Amino acid sequence: MPTLRALLASLAFLLAGGAVFSAATDQFQAFTTEAARRLAVQRHPVEIPAAGLQTQSGAHIQLSDFRGKWLVIDFIYTRCPSYCIALGGEFAQLQDRLAGPIAQGKVQLLSISFDPDHDIPSQLAAYLAHSRDRDRGRGWLAARPIDPDGLAQIKRAFGVTVIADGLGGYTHNAAIHLVDPRGRLVGIFDLGDPGPVAQVVLQRLGR
Amino acid sequence: MHLRHPGRFAALALLVLLAPPLRHALESSMTAQMLLQLPLLIGVGSLLAQALPAPGLARIARWNHLGISGLVLASVASAFWMLPRTLDASVIEPLVAAAKYLSLPLLVGLPFALSWPRMSFIVRGVFLLEFIATFFRLGWLYLISPERLCNLYLLGDQQRLGRYMLVIGSVLFLGVAGKLVWGRFELPARPTFPPSEG
């Protein structure tokens, strides 16, 4: 019965392979690292670290200082020619859409630089000024991690991967990150459309 | 390739591929990882087929009629390392890296080397067709995907890999077509039916 034996062995390999594939792709839902990290925070919100930051005004704060507010975070570096300009535009739109809750202190926008050596407070201030074509008021900070360890902690918790682009800049998995008032990362959203982010925040705030 | 000590040579080759500078170079781009590192690891495993003792070979052969089981195992295991997620993770996570360095030789290279000589003309044909088609499918995907599939690699790298894979697929296709038209075929001896009375 050599044919039957080969059939049995093949079936066993296929079943084992299917099980391994299923486990490695979150039941065939996530085939890329990016999809995986988004699915993971949806299922199990991630506690964000209390890393020290320096804002565009030079003030020292902690990431944990924003507890009690909805926190919308993106990652930037101010020398960025493409993505970060787009992200800046999106955050400006979010400032408009969430103007109400921002004014009430319920929402905070935060851009964190992963290039802290270059992005000193004056650079961060210039980035914000460049992105706000008019003064939309407060509620949007830009900041850099104070020490490399803090930056590593933040990158790990958020699942941000930064690689050199070979042109002196960086490429990173750019997205908009939502942290709830308990300090947990609960959602990661695509660039290109700030609508869903604003919607989720307004929904959670009961509007 | 027949070696005097295939097992030792394979172990040495694996250690060389594990050496940090070489491993780093092979994983520095998506192109190098998929077109150099993965095939080299599979090649290391194929050497092990010559190192197996005869009784072991016979036992495996009983379960590997026409090389089908080994081909299925090699296909499933190699497909696993074509997931962008596992490619990313194998660079960063030591456990996944270990899985890659062990499974490609043992679950892809070795079973394939044991199975190829047993495959019939039809099975070889189906395998080659699928193998070539995979180069075209993935090459096309990498070339046109506007998104980076791996967080660790650049879009330009992904597109270059796509171009290379389309070229490799074309060359393989021409090679197979040429062999079909002009080639000679050595196939495993087949039992005659009905069995000849000796």
Side-chain angles (χ1 to χ4, degrees):
Chain A
M1 298 302 284
T3 313
L4 189 64
R5 279 198 298 266
L7 191 67
L8 278 174
S10 300
L11 264 177
F13 291 145
L14 281 173
L15 285 172
V20 171
F21 258 78
S22 176
T25 57
D26 290 303
Q27 290 75 49
F28 301 101
Q29 290 179 80
F31 295 87
T32 64
T33 313
E34 190 57 18
R37 90 172 167 128
R38 296 181 185 202
L39 197 65
V41 304
Q42 261 177 28
R43 289 181 175 173
H44 307 285
V46 179
E47 193 84 23
I48 60 167
L53 302 169
Q54 184 182 31
T55 67
Q56 80 275 2
S57 63
H60 284 250
I61 56 167
Q62 292 231 310
L63 198 46
S64 50
D65 294 348
F66 299 104
R67 290 276 167 96
K69 292 182 181 187
W70 284 92
L71 186 56
V72 182
I73 297 181
D74 68 347
F75 292 88
I76 58 157
Y77 71 109
T78 60
R79 287 178 300 152
C80 180
S82 55
Y83 259 143
C84 313
I85 304 295
L87 266 171
E90 316 234 317
F91 264 45
Q93 284 184 55
L94 275 174
Q95 262 193 318
D96 283 345
R97 293 196 185 207
L98 298 171
I102 287 177
Q104 294 168 339
K106 290 181 177 171
V107 174
Q108 174 72 47
L109 307 184
L110 176 64
S111 296
I112 300 177
S113 165
F114 52 76
D115 187 15
D117 294 344
H118 176 269
D119 289 341
I120 52 177
S122 60
Q123 290 287 345
L124 295 169
Y127 169 81
L128 283 183
H130 175 85
S131 300
R132 297 167 172 157
D133 43 1
R134 61 182 193 280
D135 186 22
R136 291 184 168 84
R138 306 168 67 81
W140 183 7
L141 294 171
R144 63 169 180 169
I146 290 166
D147 58 83
D149 192 39
L151 175 59
Q153 274 181 25
I154 290 172
K155 276 162 70 173
R156 214 177 15 252
F158 284 86
V160 174
T161 308
V162 179
I163 52 175
D165 66 2
L167 308 167
Y170 301 105
T171 295
H172 61 116
N173 47 337
I176 296 176
H177 308 73
L178 185 61
V179 176
D180 73 2
R182 289 163 61 187
R184 301 175 316 160
L185 173 62
V186 290
I188 299 174
F189 299 83
D190 262 342
L191 290 183
D193 184 14
V197 188
Q199 237 169 13
V200 169
V201 175
L202 292 172
Q203 247 170 22
R204 298 280 191 111
L205 287 168
R207 295 166 197 236
Chain B
M1 180 158 73
H2 283 275
L3 300 161
R4 197 175 304 173
H5 298 294
R8 287 182 207 174
F9 186 84
L12 185 69
L14 195 62
L15 283 174
V16 170
L17 288 172
L18 266 173
L22 184 58
R23 187 189 155 198
H24 181 76
L26 289 172
E27 289 176 351
S28 63
S29 75
M30 196 173 170
T31 309
Q33 183 172 181
M34 285 201 72
L35 295 185
L36 290 173
Q37 190 188 38
L38 304 192
L40 283 168
L41 286 169
I42 292 169
V44 165
S46 68
L47 294 175
L48 293 173
Q50 301 168 37
L52 283 182
L57 285 174
R59 216 168 303 139
I60 291 170
R62 289 186 63 224
W63 289 87
N64 197 15
H65 182 58
L66 292 181
I68 301 273
S69 322
L71 182 58
V72 169
L73 173 60
S75 305
V76 170
S78 59
F80 182 79
W81 296 108
M82 292 181 200
L83 294 168
R85 239 181 116 165
T86 51
L87 228 53
D88 262 343
S90 75
V91 178
I92 300 170
E93 296 176 33
L95 267 178
V96 184
K100 182 171 78 174
Y101 267 81
L102 287 173
S103 69
L104 283 167
L106 295 175
L107 301 183
V108 183
L110 175 61
F112 188 81
L114 291 175
S115 301
W116 179 255
R118 318 188 80 83
M119 288 183 209
S120 66
F121 184 79
I122 298 283
V123 176
R124 283 183 186 183
V126 170
F127 161 74
L128 283 171
L129 201 65
E130 267 307 310
F131 186 66
I132 292 167
T134 300
F135 272 90
F136 280 107
R137 285 188 204 111
L138 288 182
W140 183 247
L141 170 72
Y142 297 153
L143 197 57
I144 65 159
S145 171
E147 287 179 8
R148 292 186 307 134
L149 296 168
C150 290
N151 277 356
L152 285 177
Y153 298 120
L154 298 169
L155 192 62
D157 181 17
Q158 183 172 295
Q159 289 164 346
R160 177 183 53 171
L161 172 62
R163 280 196 304 277
Y164 287 5
M165 286 183 84
L166 290 178
V167 169
I168 292 169
S170 309
V171 169
L172 287 172
F173 174 74
L174 290 173
V176 169
K179 187 156 168 120
L180 281 174
V181 177
W182 294 290
R184 295 164 163 274
F185 295 95
E186 292 168 28
L187 290 173
R190 312 210 35 177
T192 50
F193 289 99
S196 49
E197 306 281 321

